[in-house]
Amino acid sequence: MARFLIFIAVCTAIYFLWAHIQKISKRPVSSEPKQDIEPMVKCNYCQVYTTKKSSIKGNDGQWYCCLTHEQQVGK
Ligand SMILES: [Zn+2]
């Protein structure tokens, strides 16, 4: 009977240990926010650096911070 109780206790301990490991593995590795490095491009008109995503590529292949500057150079 004592052996059976020890067996149950060991099983319970293994179960809680396994549940604990599952909980840890589901947690994100680092709590730091992701640092996405955006490529920067220089405006051909005002020389201001802006992210490539928010920039406009002109017909001349140059980058511009806004449509106005792209049109200014084109004139
Ligand atoms: Zn500009």
Side-chain angles (χ1 to χ4, degrees), residues 7-74:
F7 175 73
I8 294 292
V10 168
C11 283
T12 310
I14 288 167
Y15 171 77
F16 278 107
L17 197 71
W18 178 81
H20 184 69
I21 288 164
Q22 289 291 307
K23 212 166 136 186
I24 287 169
S25 64
K26 276 176 187 170
R27 211 179 287 166
V29 179
S30 74
S31 58
E32 286 175 34
K34 252 190 189 174
Q35 287 186 329
D36 291 322
I37 299 158
E38 283 267 347
M40 301 292 280
V41 287
K42 194 165 80 175
C43 175
N44 195 39
Y45 183 80
C46 66
Q47 314 299 310
V48 162
Y49 281 92
T50 47
T51 57
K52 213 170 185 175
K53 210 184 274 177
S54 61
S55 301
I56 296 152
K57 197 170 188 178
N59 294 327
D60 53 357
Q62 298 292 324
W63 289 95
Y64 298 95
C65 67
C66 58
L67 197 65
T68 314
H69 285 175
E70 198 262 321
Q71 288 166 346
Q72 287 286 322
V73 168

